[in-house]
Structure formats: C-alpha cells, structure tokens
Amino acid sequence: MSAIPIEKNDTMTIYSSIHALVAQAVQQAVAEGVLTLNAETPHFVVEPPRDPAHGDLATNVAMMLTKAAGKPPRAIAEILKKHLESAPVVAAVEIAGPGFINLRLRETEWQNEIRTILHDGRHYGDSKLGQGTKVLVEYVSANPTGPMHAGHVRGAVVGDALAGLLAKAGYDVTREYYFNDAGTQVDVLARTTYLRYREALGEDIGAIPEGFYPGEYLKDVGQALVARDGMKWQGKPEAEWLDPVREFGVQYMMRMIREDLDLIGIHHDVFTNEREMIENGTLEKSFKILEDKGLIYVGTLPPPKGKVMEDWEPAPLTLFRSSNFGDSTDRPLKKRDGNWAYIMPDIAYHYDKIRRGYSLLINVLGTDHGGYLERMRPVVSAFSDSKARLEVIFNSIVKVFKNGEPVKLSKRSGNLITLREMVEQVGAGAVRFFMLTRDPKSQLDFDFTKVVEQTRDNPVFYVQYAHARCCSILRHAGEIFGADELTAEKLQKADLTPISSPEELLLVKGMANWSRVVEAAATACEPHRVAFYLLDLAALFHGLWNKGNDNTSLRFIVADNKPLTYARMALIKAVQTVLQSGLAVMGCAPLEELRNERPTDV
RNA sequence: GUGCCCGUAGCUCAGUUGGAUAGAGCAAGUGCCUUCUAAGCACUAGGUCGGAGGUUCGACUCCUCUCGGGCACGCCA
C-alpha cells in the first residue's frame, strides 16, 4: 500500500491538511474497490477530541459515511484506518466508540507548528473563509446628541472586534457609522445649543426646561458657537437660527464622539448620515426602485393586534409589500399626511449599502431594537434580489458597578458614566476585553473594581499576565543567549526536538486551535469566543509554568541545558505570538509587564 | 394576543454549529513559595443541561408542545 502524499499550501492548517488526508483515504479506498459509495462523501469534521486521551485529532467520517457505504461505521473505520496509517505524518490510528477514528500525529508535526507560528507572526490564524466577501459592519451609530457613555460601549466594542475578526477570517470589511441628523432629536440638540449659546452670551437661562438636553457638555457647544458667530443669532427667530445651529451642534457632537471612540481605539472607515441620504436623492431613488419592482401599493392596514390604541382610524396608505419577504405585515412608507414614514431613511440607507456592493450587512444594536431585523430584512432582500444577507447582533445592557454597588444611570438628569471616565479609570484594553467576556446576548456587569483586580477570576488580568510572563521569560533568557538570538526569525531555526513532553505538546495543540476559533467565531459573528480562547490558552500556559514548581526540569529556562532552553524559548515566543494575535483581533494592546502598571493603552 | 432572545453546578458563565464520561472561575475542602513573578498551580466535592415528547447510530445543540424570565410589536421616533 502506497503512502498518501499530503498536499500542503500556505493557508493550510494541521486540521485542514488532515481533513484532506482523510478525504484522500476515502477516495483511495473507493478506487481500490474496498469501499463502495452510492452518494457523495458527506460533510465530515476533523477536530480535537474533547478528551486528549483519545488522541490528537478525531474524525467522524466513518459515521457520516454509513448511509452512502451501506456498512456499519466501525467497519468503514477499519478500512480507512489502513490507508491513514500509511501517511507519514500519522503516528497511530485508533477506532473508538461508535466509530470515531482517532489520530495521533508524529511529534515533529507539532514541533513544526511552532515554526509556522513564528513564521506567520501576527498573521498566524488568518483564514480565507470569507474569500474577500464585502461585508459592512455598522456599529455605534449613536445620534449626535451627546458624548459616548456606558450604554454605547458594549456595542462599540463588539462591533469593532467583530470587524477585526471578520477581517482575520478573510472578509473585506468596512466599519461604518450612520447618524441621524434630520429628525426631531437633532432639533432638540439645536434648541438646547441655542439655549447654551444665550447663556454663554451672559443671559440668565435658569434651569434647563423639559424637552431639552440637560447635560453640562452642551455648555461648551454654546461657547464655541459664540466664539465662531458672536452675537449673530441673539434675539433672532428660531426659523433663522435653527438650521445653522443644528449643523453646528451636529458637527461639534460628531467631533466629540469621534474623539471618545478614539480613546478605545475605534475608527470607522465611513460615516454616513440621514440628511445626505435625503438631499442627494438616494431616498427618492430607493422608493422609486421599490415602485418599479411592483412592491408599492396603496392599501389599508388592519389595526395592530394585541395593543390598545384609542386613536386608531383606518386610512389608505402607501405600503411596501414586505410580507413578500417574510415580514408579518406590509409596512407604510408614507404617513397619512403624505410625509415619509420614519423607516424610509433607514430603507434608503440599506439600499445605499446594497448599491455599494456589500453582500453581507451586519448591524450591531441593543436588544431594545427587537423589531428592527424583521423590518429591515425584507428591505435588503428586495433591493438585492435576495442575494445580500442582513444579520443583526443584539447586545444586552451593561450594568455598571463600583465596589460591588450598582451605579445609577439617569439619562434625563444627564448623569451618565461616560466612555472617557471608563477608559481613564481602567484603561482602554481592559474595557474592551471585559466587554467581550460574555455572549453579547447575555447581560454584563461591568464593575470598575473587578476590572482592575489582579486575580485569577479577572480574565483581563489573567490573559495579560500570561503575555507579560512570556515577555519576562524572554527577557531573562536574553541574559543567557543575548536578545538578538531570541527573535522569531532566529528561533525558527532552533532544533525543536526537545519539545516533546505531553504538557508542552498540549500547549502547542492549544495554539494550533487558533485558526479554528477564528473561523468558528467569524461564522457565528461571536467575537467573545476569542476572549474565551485566550483564557483557555493562558490557562494552559500558566499550568505549564507551574509544572516547574514540582519538577525543575520542566522550567522554561534550564541553566545547564542550553539546547533545551533555546527550544523552549521558541515555544514561549510562539505563545506570546498567538496571545498577541488574539488580543489584536479584540483590539487590546498586549502588556509587557504588569507589576506597577494598569492597562492603559490600546 | 404575536414575534425574537434567554433558562446549564450554590453564584457568574462557557460549551468547538449533531459527537465519546457536559466544562471553567468564584464560593467550600486539601496540598504546593530555596523559583524565569505564588498577582499563581494541582487535587476533591458539586448536574434530571427548566419540563415533556419527537427526529437518528448519537441531542445541551435540531423540530413540536409546555413552564418561567427579558425585549420588542403604530401612520409615534
């Protein structure tokens, strides 16, 4: 029986190459007539078994083939076993349980994985899963009426990390911010700005009345307006100042928001706004397109169910046939008075996204926007002829704590925990990491005290500590070898055969999972999986470190054994690299030491 | 009334898209500092995966029903 050659290219991982090997084994068994299939080989997986005692890799291929082959899974596994055993990278093959094929690879395969990590550096784990698909991630999108506060941060971080994750997974990502500068909210902004403007000119405005924004931050805007325009608007009727003051306020707020976002390292590629959508005709055009597709008609909707509405009166309205695309009802695009309904700018905006060629649209929103997905999916389907896909990442609220006590937030009084405050107190990296330590759908408690705690149960610290330890070890080793000898380039050439203990290889296998995590997390649009992966990897590393307590020969630096130590430095450098790669996806800066420092920078 | 989300150890949460004996941290118990950082590590104990059916070689995962909690459900914005 001839050995099966493995075709290997740059983007292949251990898992994908073994997957290919298994597929080849199936083909070969068929070619030799020992296996007959009456259907295509179904989708099977090659993955690390839950229990490491089962081997390095496991595949369910035999169980998946039972129908096509008309044989019990263990019989199929027996046939494939013979083929797999002949592969040079395979050390052992076992059949277990209902028909799993467990593979053990030669140690050199794992040692080579260390070289791959050192070679790929920050690009280790990159995937071509997305195949360059154009994806637009829209996040933050807060209206320009105030600074970023705790309520915005989670969505901002989740969106940004998701964008980073999709980029790593091979998508062509655009980070976009959409703001509403044409509705009543920005009119309130304009009126409040005008009030603060009069205040800045020395008028006594008293308390901020109901229906205005109470926040102190608008005093600055009033003063800035005085600085620019002087007394130009004083005593003038609203009709004269409303437009220019609104524009001034919006620009001021957007500048402030961008500065806030910069504090946690968030920079959108594109800013889009509602006014532009209306003024450049996109809105009219999107309506026309729906009309041309025969999706607009005039009709009367039944009253909404399950909700008492005293003022309900049936009336003929301009409707969009969204029920053609799975919506529970058709939607009015114009109000009774003939003006556009409020969803129309959103519709226009999503038309614009499609027009720009995106086939995957992702919006990051709070769970309180529950109805959004049902309303917008039909829109996206209509404009793209069902070719583009809209996904919404809903994230739950963040509850803020200090010393275990909940911090009361009140938007009405303008008493909010600002993003700036969070970053100044715990550091940008910690804010970002912590926001990603939970599935977005579940509620998150953000405790200022816990985030900076240097203990095992603070995931931010635990992962950073692992990275800092790698740095520390390499610093110490530099005294033996000279720092010049510990670069990734030099370490790649090390003899890695000393890396052979089960504990060390377990760590390497953990690192080899990185690309699988990238792909799975990107597919699920769940960046928090990266945080959990890093936590796992850090635990493996800390565990190995502490093995040195019981057994000095397992310490990374063994003074009287330079070849061994040098090989282990390659391992440490690899761990450092993977941690950095993961932190980079999350947008957190890796820390080189923690002793007297807080995470401060992005 | 309808739709979406959640329900996993005493607490806070993961669970590799259907795989083998369901995992971490905290809290409880035990052991480990002559060290490259004990800011930690190892071990013990803890479960009817809300409940009941179904699909199949195999279900925390998919389907139906059901109970409990959250969020939505206008021509308002």
Side-chain angles (χ1 to χ4, degrees):
Chain A
M1 195 168 300
S2 61
I4 303 172
I6 297 189
E7 291 167 26
K8 202 165 177 183
N9 65 45
D10 281 350
T11 62
M12 269 198 158
T13 66
I14 284 193
Y15 293 96
S16 62
S17 63
I18 297 301
H19 191 279
L21 173 71
V22 173
Q24 285 169 41
V26 172
Q27 281 174 23
Q28 197 171 337
V30 170
E32 290 173 9
V34 289
L35 192 68
T36 318
L37 300 181
N38 58 26
E40 294 270 302
T41 305
H43 177 74
F44 65 92
V45 295
V46 173
E47 57 186 10
R50 197 160 284 171
D51 184 349
H54 290 145
D56 297 332
L57 303 166
T59 178
N60 62 351
V61 66
M63 291 178 287
M64 300 306 284
L65 281 170
T66 44
K67 252 183 200 164
K71 286 180 194 239
R74 290 188 70 107
I76 299 167
E78 283 295 343
I79 294 168
L80 297 177
K81 181 182 177 189
K82 288 172 194 156
H83 291 76
L84 292 169
E85 278 170 336
S86 65
V89 300
V90 174
V93 181
E94 283 167 13
I95 297 165
F100 287 102
I101 301 176
N102 293 332
L103 302 168
R104 224 169 276 275
L105 302 189
R106 294 191 193 282
E107 283 177 5
T108 50
E109 288 305 299
W110 299 113
Q111 290 155 0
N112 283 336
E113 191 66 11
I114 296 173
R115 283 199 181 82
T116 303
I117 296 166
L118 296 177
H119 174 267
D120 292 355
R122 66 168 64 238
H123 293 294
Y124 181 66
D126 284 5
S127 163
K128 291 192 173 167
L129 180 76
Q131 299 176 308
T133 302
K134 281 188 74 175
V135 49
L136 189 152
V137 183
E138 184 206 330
Y139 59 108
V140 189
S141 293
N143 285 340
T145 56
M148 293 281 99
H149 57 78
H152 298 120
V153 176
R154 190 176 193 179
V157 169
V158 167
D160 204 53
L162 177 59
L165 177 63
L166 291 171
K168 191 164 182 71
Y171 289 84
D172 179 5
V173 182
T174 300
R175 300 165 197 239
E176 189 151 321
Y177 188 124
Y178 172 77
F179 61 96
N180 179 319
D181 52 353
T184 55
Q185 284 195 50
V186 281
D187 285 346
V188 173
L189 173 75
R191 294 194 182 98
T192 310
T193 299
Y194 187 70
L195 209 58
R196 293 299 193 185
Y197 164 78
R198 285 166 47 203
E199 183 184 38
L201 285 173
E203 287 185 42
D204 180 9
I205 59 164
I208 301 293
E210 196 73 16
F212 289 74
Y213 293 120
E216 296 278 307
Y217 58 87
L218 287 173
K219 283 185 177 173
D220 294 344
V221 197
Q223 282 166 9
L225 185 58
V226 171
R228 193 191 71 172
D229 291 348
M231 298 168 68
K232 190 173 173 184
W233 310 110
Q234 201 172 26
K236 298 280 166 55
E238 176 172 307
E240 270 183 51
W241 55 256
L242 188 65
D243 281 351
V245 170
R246 187 203 296 112
E247 192 186 339
F248 183 82
V250 166
Q251 281 184 10
Y252 193 98
M253 288 297 115
M254 283 312 295
R255 198 164 54 242
M256 185 173 69
I257 287 171
R258 289 169 82 147
E259 282 169 14
D260 282 353
L261 290 173
D262 178 63
L263 293 172
I264 42 170
I266 293 178
H267 305 102
H268 291 85
D269 302 311
V270 178
F271 287 80
T272 313
N273 65 77
E274 178 179 3
R275 187 167 293 275
E276 198 180 296
M277 210 67 63
I278 296 166
E279 287 173 359
N280 70 12
T282 304
L283 191 145
E284 294 281 349
K285 190 173 178 192
S286 61
F287 182 79
K288 181 79 164 46
I289 288 170
L290 294 177
E291 216 168 22
D292 292 347
K293 285 175 184 279
L295 296 169
I296 303 293
Y297 71 105
V298 175
T300 306
L301 289 174
K305 289 169 187 166
K307 206 177 174 185
V308 191
M309 279 171 52
E310 300 85 8
D311 57 346
W312 175 263
E313 282 175 42
L317 294 166
T318 303
L319 301 174
F320 165 48
R321 288 189 196 278
S322 56
S323 60
N324 282 13
F325 304 93
D327 202 345
S328 58
T329 177
D330 290 341
R331 305 280 177 180
L333 300 190
K334 287 182 181 173
K335 296 191 275 192
R336 189 178 304 190
D337 63 12
N339 288 319
W340 294 115
Y342 81 102
I343 45 166
M344 201 51 219
D346 269 355
I347 290 176
Y349 177 39
H350 282 80
Y351 158 69
D352 190 56
K353 289 180 181 180
I354 301 294
R355 185 188 59 78
R356 283 185 276 153
Y358 295 99
S359 51
L360 178 56
L361 310 179
I362 299 176
N363 294 4
V364 180
L365 300 169
T367 48
D368 54 334
H369 293 76
Y372 186 88
L373 186 60
E374 191 193 11
R375 290 199 305 272
M376 284 324 275
R377 268 205 172 136
V379 172
V380 168
S381 296
F383 285 124
S384 70
D385 297 321
S386 297
K387 284 177 191 138
R389 188 159 61 96
L390 173 68
E391 295 292 339
V392 175
I393 311 302
F394 290 106
N395 47 56
S396 284
I397 56 165
V398 176
K399 290 191 175 173
V400 181
F401 291 78
K402 276 182 181 173
N403 298 312
E405 293 293 313
V407 179
K408 290 255 163 79
L409 301 179
S410 162
K411 196 168 187 175
R412 204 172 49 237
S413 72
N415 169 30
L416 295 164
I417 303 281
T418 62
L419 182 153
R420 181 174 293 274
E421 198 177 336
M422 294 170 83
V423 170
E424 281 169 358
Q425 288 192 31
V426 308
V431 170
R432 292 188 64 130
F433 197 105
F434 208 79
M435 290 293 164
L436 294 167
T437 53
R438 208 124 298 180
D439 181 298
K441 287 186 292 292
S442 42
Q443 184 201 301
L444 177 77
D445 292 344
F446 186 93
D447 192 320
F448 277 92
T449 319
K450 283 192 173 167
V451 176
V452 293
E453 233 168 42
Q454 302 202 327
T455 60
R456 171 68 177 92
D457 61 327
N458 177 5
V460 184
F461 163 75
Y462 195 68
V463 170
Q464 290 289 11
Y465 185 32
H467 181 265
R469 253 185 179 166
C470 289
C471 296
S472 166
I473 294 163
L474 289 165
R475 274 197 301 272
H476 281 272
E479 292 164 13
I480 301 172
F481 298 101
D484 293 351
E485 294 302 310
L486 297 174
T487 61
E489 294 72 31
K490 289 270 177 68
L491 287 166
Q492 272 179 67
K493 294 173 189 132
D495 172 17
L496 295 177
T497 49
I499 304 297
S500 60
S501 76
E503 292 87 354
E504 288 168 324
L505 292 175
L506 210 59
L507 182 58
V508 178
K509 290 165 194 173
M511 292 191 276
N513 269 330
W514 177 220
S515 66
R516 302 181 68 245
V517 171
V518 168
E519 293 189 352
T523 304
C525 291
E526 291 182 351
H528 71 281
R529 294 193 192 197
V530 174
F532 283 96
Y533 169 74
L534 292 179
L535 219 43
D536 283 346
L537 185 60
L540 279 173
F541 170 69
H542 288 306
L544 184 55
W545 164 285
N546 278 87
K547 287 282 194 314
N549 282 336
D550 305 327
N551 182 348
T552 48
S553 71
L554 283 176
R555 291 187 189 165
F556 296 123
I557 294 174
V558 182
D560 58 1
N561 191 338
K562 277 187 135 186
L564 174 67
T565 302
Y566 197 64
R568 285 183 177 165
M569 288 312 104
L571 177 67
I572 298 302
K573 190 81 186 170
V575 173
Q576 185 193 43
T577 301
V578 177
L579 289 171
Q580 286 173 0
S581 175
L583 287 168
V585 168
M586 297 173 67
C588 303
L591 302 177
E592 300 202 352
E593 56 180 346
L594 301 177
R595 202 178 292 273
N596 297 313
E597 306 236 351
R598 279 196 197 139
T600 49
D601 230 344
V602 178

